[in-house]
Amino acid sequence: MEEVRYLKEIKEQLKGKKVCIFSMGLVGQAMRDKLSLRGIHIDFFCDNNPDLWKTSYHGTECIPYSQLIEMNPDEVVVIIASAPYYKTIKEQLFGDGMTNCMRIFFEKVFAEEYVREHENDLQEKIHRVMDILEDETSRNVYRHLTDFWKMTDVPDDYFRQICSDNQYFDEEIISLREDESFVDCGAYIGDTAMDFIKKSHGKYRKMHLFELDPVIYRKLLNQAAELQGNDTGIIQCYPYGVSNRNQAITFMHGDSNSSINNAVSAANGKSEEMTGKIKALDDILVDEEVTFIKMDIEGAEHDALEGTKKIIASQKPVLAICIYHSPEDMLELPVFIKSLNPEYKIYIRHYTEMTYETVCYAIP
């Protein structure tokens, strides 16, 4: 199948150049993986953190900053992969003579591929979501996000124009109760749990934290123990992924793209296959009160919501569901959530200067 326009443009800009990804964090690693899968070789990373110099990810080394700026700027393209520090890093690189810099919105490749395959019903699906959104801000955000799919030129600040603050606990939409029972699907190391405690001022009933990856889960347990020491609420952790079925699965640990639905090779070029379990929230939390559910589980949200139908129907918890993992999620998940409980008011907000961290809220 012929490559979409945006991918052709990326390859043309990188042709004949050494390619550096600036930022070796999770976003930089994900960028390296996505480009590599499309046949684009990354020569090296660079980062302002000296602890990362001489380390590698999938065999791609992170070089010291001094080594980067000693190179001929005409021979190197630097892809800046840090969203919060993009402007600062670009100014830094330009100040040191490294002016061949770019920002890649790689999800535009997936979006253009999707649009090409679904041109006939795309507008109908977009309008279907627009019709159920509760406020003009949601409609503006959603229009901005879907317009991006067909844009020819995307300004560097395109997503900055719609950024909100306080992801998952947006005060324009969310009013936390003093007795919340909060469920975090994709809890990682407890970062959202810490935000929840701050926003609730430590006044909550219970937290249920789900994390599939056993390496990350051990870190989550340590964090939960620290939080529990200063808290009156109960924190319970579960070593499970969340889905619509109960079964054992295998997945790859340590990769930026690893998820229940998409397991690929692990970090540093070494495959580390792990086993785990996925379970339905309706089965795990059958006797629990649930007032608030957050999901960021790398594209597995639809199945997880399927496995939460009983809780949603009977308890009507607030939902904060990530919908940015694919065009399908952006078009289908808000409508699916509304179908689970027609009484929900549906809102959409966006929280980064890149394509990720778009959240659909359902408020009873």
Side-chain angles (χ1 to χ4, degrees):
M1 186 178 293
E2 183 181 1
E3 292 177 343
V4 294
R5 179 191 57 81
Y6 189 59
L7 182 58
K8 288 180 179 177
E9 290 179 357
I10 293 171
K11 289 187 172 181
E12 186 61 30
Q13 287 180 269
L14 300 180
K15 189 165 84 173
K17 308 285 188 181
K18 292 180 179 178
V19 181
C20 170
I21 293 179
F22 201 100
S23 180
M24 202 186 177
L26 291 176
V27 176
Q29 292 174 11
M31 181 67 70
R32 183 258 178 219
D33 292 341
K34 291 169 184 174
L35 292 172
S36 296
L37 287 170
R38 298 306 177 106
I40 298 173
H41 176 70
I42 305 302
D43 293 281
F44 42 82
F45 288 99
C46 190
D47 201 286
N48 282 322
N49 182 358
D51 293 338
L52 297 175
W53 298 347
K54 301 298 178 72
T55 65
S56 64
Y57 172 78
H58 279 221
T60 304
E61 185 181 0
C62 181
I63 64 172
Y65 182 71
S66 59
Q67 185 177 337
L68 173 63
I69 61 175
E70 287 172 359
M71 296 179 182
N72 184 338
D74 295 329
E75 297 177 354
V76 182
V77 176
V78 181
I79 300 168
I80 303 174
S82 171
Y85 303 109
Y86 172 80
K87 184 177 179 181
T88 301
I89 292 170
K90 186 175 181 179
E91 291 174 352
Q92 172 190 349
L93 290 165
F94 269 57
D96 287 325
M98 193 59 63
T99 56
N100 201 357
C101 302
M102 64 187 296
R103 167 177 260 179
I104 293 178
F105 301 104
F106 195 85
E107 285 69 20
K108 186 165 173 57
V109 175
F110 303 132
E112 288 189 1
E113 290 171 343
Y114 183 88
V115 169
R116 182 171 61 188
E117 296 298 316
H118 298 84
E119 186 70 42
N120 292 337
D121 61 354
L122 180 64
Q123 288 305 313
E124 179 184 343
K125 289 183 175 181
I126 290 173
H127 289 311
R128 189 174 58 172
V129 176
M130 293 283 282
D131 287 344
I132 64 170
L133 296 179
E134 191 67 25
D135 66 345
E136 192 59 31
T137 299
S138 296
R139 289 186 282 273
N140 287 337
V141 169
Y142 194 73
R143 189 180 298 111
H144 203 85
L145 293 166
T146 54
D147 283 351
F148 159 78
W149 295 350
K150 287 190 172 184
M151 291 179 66
T152 302
D153 298 306
V154 183
D156 282 353
D157 66 347
Y158 185 73
F159 293 97
R160 188 187 311 159
Q161 300 169 36
I162 57 168
C163 278
S164 294
D165 298 320
N166 302 321
Q167 185 175 0
Y168 305 126
F169 310 110
D170 197 314
E171 293 175 357
E172 288 186 354
I173 302 168
I174 302 293
S175 297
L176 291 176
R177 301 164 20 178
E178 291 190 356
D179 61 344
E180 295 281 4
S181 184
F182 177 62
V183 179
D184 187 352
C185 304
Y188 192 52
I189 59 173
D191 46 344
T192 303
M194 287 187 283
D195 286 344
F196 170 71
I197 289 173
K198 290 178 184 176
K199 294 295 182 182
S200 65
H201 305 289
K203 296 179 180 179
Y204 63 93
R205 179 176 297 176
K206 195 167 185 179
M207 277 197 282
H208 303 270
L209 310 180
F210 290 81
E211 176 55 51
L212 172 65
D213 189 308
V215 176
I216 298 173
Y217 180 72
R218 287 194 289 272
K219 296 178 181 178
L220 175 63
L221 285 176
N222 292 334
Q223 181 65 68
E226 290 185 20
L227 294 174
Q228 189 68 83
N230 301 316
D231 240 350
T232 56
I234 298 170
I235 303 176
Q236 187 165 348
C237 299
Y238 305 79
Y240 308 132
V242 179
S243 188
N244 58 355
R245 59 199 185 278
N246 301 325
Q247 69 179 58
I249 62 167
T250 60
F251 62 97
M252 308 307 296
H253 161 71
D255 190 275
S256 61
N257 291 326
S258 182
S259 73
I260 294 171
N261 292 346
N262 176 32
V264 292
S265 58
N268 300 317
K270 298 178 181 179
S271 296
E272 188 179 354
E273 189 173 83
M274 293 188 169
T275 60
K277 292 181 180 180
I278 54 175
K279 296 192 176 187
L281 289 182
D282 279 340
D283 295 329
I284 301 172
L285 304 179
V286 63
D287 295 321
E288 296 282 352
E289 180 183 12
V290 176
T291 64
F292 192 146
I293 300 174
K294 164 257 175 180
M295 291 183 182
D296 185 0
I297 45 179
E298 307 305 321
E301 284 83 0
H302 187 282
D303 285 353
L305 288 165
E306 281 270 8
T308 315
K309 281 183 175 180
K310 293 178 183 177
I311 291 173
I312 291 172
S314 63
Q315 302 197 50
K316 302 180 181 65
V318 169
L319 304 179
I321 311 299
C322 287
I323 61 172
Y324 63 88
H325 295 107
S326 69
E328 291 94 333
D329 283 354
M330 191 74 72
L331 294 166
E332 302 293 341
L333 282 180
V335 176
F336 180 61
I337 291 167
K338 184 74 170 179
S339 74
L340 294 176
N341 193 322
E343 295 180 17
Y344 275 135
K345 295 181 178 180
I346 306 297
Y347 300 83
I348 291 177
R349 296 293 188 268
H350 186 79
Y351 296 96
T352 69
E353 294 183 22
M354 297 293 283
T355 54
Y356 45 85
E357 308 304 346
T358 306
V359 179
C360 179
Y361 295 94
I363 309 299

